[in-house]
Amino acid sequence: MTYVTSDLHGYPLDAFRSYLGSIPFTCTDELYILGDVVDRNGDGGIAMLQWCMEQKNVHLLRGNHEDMLLSCRFLFSDNAKKNIEQLSTNQLMYLANWEMNGAAPTIQSLQRLYNEKRGDFLDLWDYLEDVPLYYTLQIGSKKPFILTHSGLGHYAPDKNLDDYSVDDLVWFRPTINTVFSPETMMVFGHTPTSTIDSGSKGRMLRTDTWIDIDTGAGWGGHPMLLRLEDERAFYLDDSNQ
């Protein structure tokens, strides 16, 4: 079976693994995480990232928070203090933007990893740099699923996925009236469902062309899992719909 989740934002790894076990999720299943594992809570998602990196059947997409992290490589070096004192205008902008979006626990965890387990830090950084921006999945005879972090900004029906910018794929904010191709089903996170439709708090939001699965784990809620074969939603409170 094929499952999708998103926007874990430092959600405790043990709790998430227990949640997977309750489905149950096994080594024969596949899990796609649509970005934003890092920032805001707990250890900033670093343990979760390391776990993802070790699982052959777990596939991570880059979210806007991973993108902000990658833009701040200058924070993690033997000369980090000197580097910070000499930041360019662009680097200051990148850091300020990340800090305003909950970077603190992630920075602390990465700095600790850099200082104590340099090899693990470098492996994790290499992994993050290679994380893709989208996946296209064909599940049986269903119409193809397109997985991105945020949907597709500047959408055009004749536009190839490779022609969308990083910002289009990780920063776009849909509305309830947003429409993508009827030939595919877009699955994304990034925008908590409750901000699009107040009645969907903690639940996925589905239209004819897209499914939003950001159920607010970054803001004190819990993640969900979407099983693509039957588009069934699994929630931590067991009120599956």
Side-chain angles (χ1 to χ4, degrees):
M1 293 296 177
T2 310
Y3 297 89
V4 187
T5 190
S6 190
D7 295 83
L8 301 175
H9 284 301
Y11 197 80
L13 176 58
D14 288 347
F16 184 71
R17 292 179 65 183
S18 177
Y19 173 34
L20 286 178
S22 71
I23 298 302
F25 177 83
T26 73
C27 61
T28 62
D29 298 317
E30 301 289 324
L31 174 64
Y32 291 82
I33 303 178
L34 308 186
D36 282 10
V37 167
V38 300
D39 296 343
R40 294 202 174 120
N41 301 298
D43 72 340
I46 299 309
M48 186 76 73
L49 281 180
Q50 290 178 302
W51 176 80
C52 292
M53 183 173 63
E54 294 167 355
Q55 312 306 309
K56 292 182 179 180
N57 60 337
V58 175
H59 315 281
L60 179 64
L61 283 181
R62 187 194 304 186
N64 61 307
H65 284 258
E66 285 81 25
D67 196 57
M68 288 186 284
L69 185 164
L70 288 168
S71 72
C72 292
R73 178 67 173 85
F74 51 82
L75 292 177
F76 312 104
S77 73
D78 292 336
N79 297 313
K81 184 175 180 180
K82 182 179 179 181
N83 289 346
I84 292 173
E85 292 171 350
Q86 299 175 349
L87 292 183
S88 68
T89 300
N90 281 343
Q91 288 173 323
L92 285 169
M93 181 183 67
Y94 295 148
L95 179 56
N97 187 41
W98 191 24
E99 288 179 330
M100 285 190 299
N101 282 281
T106 307
I107 291 174
Q108 292 171 5
S109 292
L110 282 175
Q111 287 176 333
R112 187 180 309 113
L113 190 65
Y114 181 87
N115 292 328
E116 298 176 2
K117 297 181 179 180
R118 185 72 52 86
D120 290 352
F121 171 90
L122 295 173
D123 288 344
L124 184 61
W125 198 272
D126 288 345
Y127 168 71
L128 282 172
E129 287 186 328
D130 289 338
V131 165
L133 288 162
Y134 66 83
Y135 282 105
T136 300
L137 301 181
Q138 182 67 57
I139 306 293
S141 60
K142 298 173 72 68
K143 61 184 180 180
F145 291 95
I146 297 176
L147 312 182
T148 74
H149 177 62
S150 68
L152 292 175
H154 299 100
Y155 170 73
D158 57 350
K159 195 172 181 179
N160 293 323
L161 285 171
D162 286 338
D163 293 331
Y164 288 90
S165 70
V166 173
D167 282 359
D168 287 337
L169 293 161
V170 305
W171 282 103
F172 176 64
R173 296 287 188 188
T175 71
I176 196 64
N177 297 316
T178 297
V179 176
F180 299 115
S181 169
E183 304 302 318
T184 63
M185 179 59 74
M186 188 77 57
V187 184
F188 54 82
H190 182 57
T191 302
T193 57
S194 61
T195 67
I196 302 176
D197 171 47
S198 60
S200 296
K201 183 177 181 179
R203 291 293 184 268
M204 78 176 189
L205 181 60
R206 191 188 194 284
T207 72
D208 290 340
T209 64
W210 56 261
I211 303 173
D212 182 357
I213 61 169
D214 182 353
T215 47
W219 304 102
H222 298 287
M224 64 161 287
L225 289 172
L226 172 64
R227 188 168 63 197
L228 296 184
E229 280 78 4
D230 56 4
E231 297 183 24
R232 179 182 175 185
F234 293 83
Y235 302 104
L236 269 174
D237 62 8
D238 292 324
S239 300
N240 301 321
Q241 298 181 355

Coordinates of all heavy atoms in Angstrom, one line a residue, residues 4-9 34-36 40 64-65 148-150 170 172-174 187-197 200-206 210-226 235:
V4 N 0.7 8.6 2.3 CA 1.2 10.0 2.1 C 0.9 10.7 3.4 O -0.2 10.7 4.0 CB 0.6 10.7 0.9 CG1 1.3 12.0 0.7 CG2 0.7 9.9 -0.3
T5 N 1.9 11.5 3.9 CA 1.7 12.4 5.0 C 2.5 13.7 4.7 O 3.2 13.8 3.8 CB 2.1 11.8 6.4 OG1 1.6 12.6 7.4 CG2 3.6 11.6 6.5
S6 N 2.4 14.7 5.6 CA 3.0 16.0 5.3 C 3.1 16.8 6.6 O 2.4 16.6 7.6 CB 2.3 16.7 4.3 OG 3.0 17.8 3.8
D7 N 4.0 17.8 6.6 CA 4.1 18.8 7.6 C 4.2 18.3 9.0 O 3.3 18.6 9.9 CB 2.9 19.8 7.4 CG 3.0 20.5 6.1 OD1 2.6 20.0 5.1 OD2 3.5 21.7 6.1
L8 N 5.2 17.5 9.3 CA 5.3 16.9 10.6 C 5.9 17.9 11.6 O 5.7 17.8 12.8 CB 6.2 15.6 10.5 CG 5.7 14.5 9.6 CD1 6.6 13.4 9.5 CD2 4.3 14.0 10.1
H9 N 6.8 18.8 11.1 CA 7.3 19.9 12.0 C 7.7 19.5 13.4 O 7.2 20.0 14.4 CB 6.2 21.0 12.0 CG 6.1 21.8 10.8 ND1 7.2 22.5 10.3 CD2 5.0 22.0 10.0 CE1 6.8 23.1 9.2 NE2 5.5 22.8 8.9
L34 N 5.5 14.7 2.4 CA 5.5 15.8 1.4 C 6.2 17.1 2.0 O 5.7 18.2 1.8 CB 4.1 16.2 1.0 CG 3.3 15.0 0.4 CD1 1.9 15.4 -0.1 CD2 4.1 14.2 -0.6
G35 N 7.3 16.9 2.7 CA 8.1 18.1 3.1 C 7.7 18.6 4.5 O 6.7 18.2 5.1
D36 N 8.5 19.6 4.9 CA 8.3 20.2 6.2 C 8.3 19.3 7.4 O 7.5 19.3 8.3 CB 7.0 21.1 6.3 CG 7.2 22.4 5.5 OD1 8.2 22.6 4.8 OD2 6.3 23.2 5.6
R40 N 9.9 24.3 14.3 CA 8.8 24.6 15.2 C 8.8 23.8 16.5 O 8.6 24.4 17.5 CB 7.5 24.5 14.5 CG 7.3 25.5 13.4 CD 5.8 25.7 13.1 NE 5.6 26.8 12.1 CZ 5.1 26.6 10.9 NH1 4.6 25.5 10.5 NH2 5.0 27.7 10.1
N64 N 9.0 24.0 2.0 CA 9.6 25.3 2.1 C 10.5 25.4 3.3 O 11.5 26.1 3.3 CB 8.5 26.4 2.2 CG 7.6 26.2 3.3 OD1 7.0 25.2 3.5 ND2 7.4 27.3 4.1
H65 N 10.3 24.6 4.4 CA 11.1 24.6 5.6 C 12.5 24.0 5.3 O 13.5 24.4 5.8 CB 10.4 24.1 6.8 CG 9.4 25.0 7.3 ND1 9.6 25.7 8.5 CD2 8.2 25.3 6.9 CE1 8.5 26.5 8.7 NE2 7.6 26.2 7.7
T148 N 3.3 17.1 -4.4 CA 4.2 18.3 -4.2 C 4.0 18.7 -2.7 O 3.1 18.3 -2.0 CB 4.0 19.4 -5.1 OG1 2.8 20.1 -4.7 CG2 3.8 19.0 -6.6
H149 N 4.9 19.7 -2.3 CA 4.7 20.2 -1.0 C 3.5 21.1 -0.9 O 2.7 21.0 0.1 CB 5.9 21.0 -0.5 CG 5.7 21.6 0.9 ND1 5.5 20.8 2.0 CD2 5.7 22.9 1.3 CE1 5.3 21.6 3.0 NE2 5.4 22.8 2.6
S150 N 3.3 22.0 -1.9 CA 2.3 23.1 -1.7 C 1.3 23.1 -2.9 O 0.5 24.1 -2.9 CB 3.0 24.4 -1.6 OG 3.6 24.8 -2.8
V170 N 6.9 24.9 -3.4 CA 7.0 24.8 -2.0 C 6.3 25.9 -1.2 O 6.1 25.9 0.0 CB 8.4 24.6 -1.5 CG1 9.1 23.4 -2.2 CG2 9.2 25.9 -1.7
F172 N 3.4 27.9 -2.6 CA 2.1 28.3 -3.1 C 1.0 28.0 -2.1 O 1.0 27.1 -1.3 CB 1.8 27.4 -4.4 CG 0.4 27.6 -4.9 CD1 0.0 28.9 -5.4 CD2 -0.6 26.6 -4.9 CE1 -1.3 29.1 -5.9 CE2 -1.8 26.8 -5.4 CZ -2.2 28.0 -5.9
R173 N 0.0 28.9 -2.0 CA -1.2 28.8 -1.1 C -2.4 28.7 -2.0 O -2.9 29.7 -2.6 CB -1.3 30.0 -0.2 CG -0.1 30.2 0.8 CD -0.1 29.1 1.9 NE 0.9 29.4 2.9 CZ 1.2 28.6 3.9 NH1 0.6 27.5 4.0 NH2 2.1 29.0 4.8
P174 N -3.1 27.6 -2.0 CA -4.3 27.4 -2.8 C -5.5 28.0 -2.0 O -5.5 28.3 -0.8 CB -4.5 25.9 -2.9 CG -3.9 25.4 -1.6 CD -2.7 26.3 -1.3
V187 N -1.8 16.1 -4.7 CA -1.8 15.9 -3.3 C -0.7 16.7 -2.7 O 0.5 16.7 -3.1 CB -1.6 14.4 -2.9 CG1 -1.7 14.2 -1.4 CG2 -2.6 13.5 -3.6
F188 N -1.0 17.5 -1.7 CA 0.0 18.4 -1.1 C -0.4 18.7 0.4 O -1.4 18.3 0.9 CB 0.0 19.8 -1.9 CG -1.3 20.4 -2.0 CD1 -1.8 21.2 -1.0 CD2 -2.1 20.3 -3.2 CE1 -3.1 21.9 -1.1 CE2 -3.3 20.9 -3.3 CZ -3.8 21.7 -2.3
G189 N 0.6 19.4 1.0 CA 0.4 19.9 2.4 C 0.5 21.4 2.4 O -0.1 22.1 1.7
H190 N 1.4 21.9 3.3 CA 1.9 23.3 3.4 C 0.8 24.2 4.0 O 1.1 25.0 4.9 CB 2.3 23.8 2.0 CG 2.8 25.2 2.0 ND1 3.9 25.6 2.8 CD2 2.4 26.3 1.3 CE1 4.1 26.9 2.6 NE2 3.3 27.3 1.7
T191 N -0.4 24.2 3.5 CA -1.5 25.0 3.9 C -2.4 24.2 4.8 O -3.1 23.3 4.3 CB -2.2 25.6 2.8 OG1 -1.4 26.3 1.9 CG2 -3.3 26.5 3.2
P192 N -2.4 24.5 6.1 CA -3.4 23.8 7.0 C -4.8 23.8 6.4 O -5.3 24.9 6.0 CB -3.3 24.5 8.3 CG -1.9 25.1 8.3 CD -1.6 25.5 6.9
T193 N -5.5 22.7 6.4 CA -6.8 22.6 5.8 C -7.8 23.6 6.5 O -8.6 24.1 5.8 CB -7.4 21.2 5.9 OG1 -7.4 20.8 7.3 CG2 -6.5 20.2 5.1
S194 N -7.6 23.9 7.8 CA -8.5 24.7 8.5 C -8.4 26.2 8.0 O -9.4 27.0 8.2 CB -8.3 24.7 10.0 OG -6.9 25.1 10.3
T195 N -7.3 26.6 7.4 CA -7.2 27.9 6.9 C -7.9 28.1 5.5 O -8.1 29.2 5.1 CB -5.7 28.4 6.7 OG1 -5.1 27.6 5.7 CG2 -5.0 28.2 8.1
I196 N -8.2 27.0 4.9 CA -8.9 27.0 3.6 C -10.4 26.9 3.9 O -11.3 27.5 3.3 CB -8.4 25.9 2.6 CG1 -7.0 26.1 2.3 CG2 -9.2 26.0 1.3 CD1 -6.4 25.0 1.5
D197 N -10.7 25.9 4.8 CA -12.1 25.7 5.1 C -12.2 25.4 6.6 O -11.6 24.4 7.1 CB -12.6 24.4 4.4 CG -14.0 24.0 4.9 OD1 -14.9 24.8 5.0 OD2 -14.1 22.8 5.1
S200 N -12.8 22.0 8.2 CA -11.9 20.9 7.9 C -10.8 20.8 8.9 O -9.8 20.1 8.7 CB -11.4 21.0 6.5 OG -12.4 20.9 5.6
K201 N -10.8 21.5 10.1 CA -9.8 21.5 11.0 C -9.4 20.0 11.4 O -10.3 19.3 11.9 CB -10.1 22.3 12.3 CG -9.0 22.4 13.3 CD -9.3 23.2 14.5 CE -8.2 23.3 15.4 NZ -8.5 24.2 16.6
G202 N -8.1 19.7 11.3 CA -7.7 18.3 11.7 C -8.1 17.2 10.7 O -7.9 16.1 11.0
R203 N -8.7 17.6 9.6 CA -9.1 16.6 8.6 C -8.6 17.0 7.2 O -8.4 18.2 6.9 CB -10.7 16.5 8.5 CG -11.2 15.9 9.8 CD -10.8 14.4 9.9 NE -11.4 13.7 11.0 CZ -10.8 13.6 12.2 NH1 -9.7 14.1 12.4 NH2 -11.4 12.8 13.1
M204 N -8.4 16.1 6.3 CA -8.0 16.4 5.0 C -9.1 17.1 4.2 O -10.3 17.1 4.6 CB -7.6 15.2 4.2 CG -8.7 14.3 3.7 SD -8.1 12.9 2.7 CE -9.6 12.3 1.9
L205 N -8.7 17.9 3.2 CA -9.7 18.6 2.4 C -9.5 18.2 1.0 O -8.4 18.2 0.4 CB -9.4 20.1 2.6 CG -10.3 21.1 1.8 CD1 -11.8 20.9 2.3 CD2 -9.8 22.5 2.0
R206 N -10.6 17.8 0.4 CA -10.6 17.2 -1.0 C -11.5 18.0 -1.9 O -12.6 18.3 -1.6 CB -11.0 15.7 -1.0 CG -10.8 15.0 -2.3 CD -11.4 13.6 -2.2 NE -10.9 12.7 -3.2 CZ -11.3 12.7 -4.5 NH1 -12.2 13.7 -4.9 NH2 -10.8 11.9 -5.4
W210 N -7.7 18.2 -6.3 CA -6.6 18.2 -5.3 C -7.1 17.7 -3.9 O -8.3 17.8 -3.6 CB -5.9 19.5 -5.2 CG -6.8 20.8 -4.9 CD1 -7.3 21.7 -5.8 CD2 -7.2 21.2 -3.6 NE1 -8.0 22.6 -5.2 CE2 -8.0 22.4 -3.8 CE3 -7.1 20.8 -2.3 CZ2 -8.5 23.1 -2.8 CZ3 -7.6 21.5 -1.3 CH2 -8.4 22.7 -1.5
I211 N -6.1 17.3 -3.1 CA -6.3 16.9 -1.7 C -5.2 17.5 -0.9 O -4.0 17.4 -1.2 CB -6.2 15.3 -1.6 CG1 -7.2 14.6 -2.5 CG2 -6.4 14.9 -0.1 CD1 -7.0 13.1 -2.5
D212 N -5.6 18.3 0.1 CA -4.7 18.9 1.1 C -4.7 18.0 2.3 O -5.7 17.7 2.9 CB -5.2 20.3 1.4 CG -4.3 21.0 2.4 OD1 -3.3 20.5 2.8 OD2 -4.6 22.2 2.7
I213 N -3.5 17.6 2.7 CA -3.4 16.7 3.9 C -2.6 17.3 5.1 O -2.1 16.6 6.0 CB -2.7 15.4 3.5 CG1 -1.3 15.6 2.9 CG2 -3.6 14.6 2.5 CD1 -0.5 14.3 2.8
D214 N -2.4 18.6 5.1 CA -1.8 19.3 6.2 C -2.9 19.5 7.3 O -3.7 20.4 7.2 CB -1.2 20.7 5.8 CG -0.5 21.4 7.0 OD1 -0.6 20.9 8.1 OD2 0.1 22.4 6.8
T215 N -2.9 18.6 8.3 CA -3.9 18.7 9.4 C -3.4 19.3 10.6 O -3.9 19.2 11.7 CB -4.4 17.2 9.7 OG1 -3.2 16.3 9.8 CG2 -5.2 16.7 8.6
G216 N -2.3 20.1 10.5 CA -2.0 21.0 11.6 C -1.0 20.5 12.7 O -1.0 21.0 13.8
A217 N -0.2 19.5 12.3 CA 0.8 19.0 13.3 C 1.8 20.0 13.8 O 2.2 19.9 14.9 CB 1.5 17.8 12.7
G218 N 2.1 21.0 12.9 CA 3.0 22.0 13.3 C 2.5 23.0 14.3 O 3.2 23.8 14.9
W219 N 1.2 22.9 14.5 CA 0.5 23.9 15.4 C -0.3 23.2 16.5 O -1.3 23.7 16.9 CB -0.4 24.8 14.6 CG 0.3 25.5 13.4 CD1 0.3 25.1 12.1 CD2 1.1 26.6 13.6 NE1 1.1 26.0 11.4 CE2 1.6 26.9 12.3 CE3 1.6 27.4 14.6 CZ2 2.5 27.9 12.0 CZ3 2.5 28.4 14.4 CH2 2.9 28.7 13.1
G220 N 0.3 22.1 17.0 CA -0.3 21.4 18.1 C -1.3 20.3 17.8 O -1.8 19.7 18.7
G221 N -1.5 20.1 16.5 CA -2.4 19.0 16.1 C -1.6 17.7 15.8 O -0.5 17.5 16.3
H222 N -2.2 16.9 15.0 CA -1.5 15.6 14.6 C -1.5 15.4 13.1 O -2.4 15.9 12.4 CB -2.3 14.4 15.3 CG -2.3 14.5 16.8 ND1 -1.2 14.2 17.5 CD2 -3.3 14.8 17.6 CE1 -1.6 14.3 18.8 NE2 -2.8 14.7 18.9
P223 N -0.5 14.7 12.6 CA -0.5 14.4 11.2 C -1.5 13.3 10.9 O -2.1 12.7 11.7 CB 0.9 13.8 11.0 CG 1.3 13.2 12.3 CD 0.6 14.1 13.3
M224 N -1.8 13.2 9.6 CA -2.7 12.1 9.1 C -1.9 11.3 8.1 O -0.9 11.7 7.6 CB -3.9 12.7 8.5 CG -3.7 13.6 7.2 SD -5.1 13.8 6.2 CE -5.3 12.2 5.4
L225 N -2.5 10.2 7.7 CA -2.0 9.4 6.6 C -3.1 9.3 5.6 O -4.3 9.0 5.9 CB -1.6 8.0 7.0 CG -0.3 7.9 7.9 CD1 -0.2 6.5 8.4 CD2 0.9 8.3 7.1
L226 N -2.8 9.4 4.3 CA -3.7 9.2 3.2 C -3.2 7.9 2.4 O -2.1 7.9 2.0 CB -3.7 10.4 2.3 CG -4.5 10.2 1.0 CD1 -6.0 10.0 1.3 CD2 -4.3 11.4 0.0
Y235 N -6.5 8.9 10.8 CA -6.3 9.9 11.8 C -5.9 9.3 13.1 O -6.3 8.2 13.5 CB -7.5 10.8 11.9 CG -8.0 11.5 10.7 CD1 -9.1 11.0 10.0 CD2 -7.3 12.6 10.1 CE1 -9.6 11.6 8.8 CE2 -7.8 13.2 9.0 CZ -8.9 12.7 8.3 OH -9.3 13.3 7.2

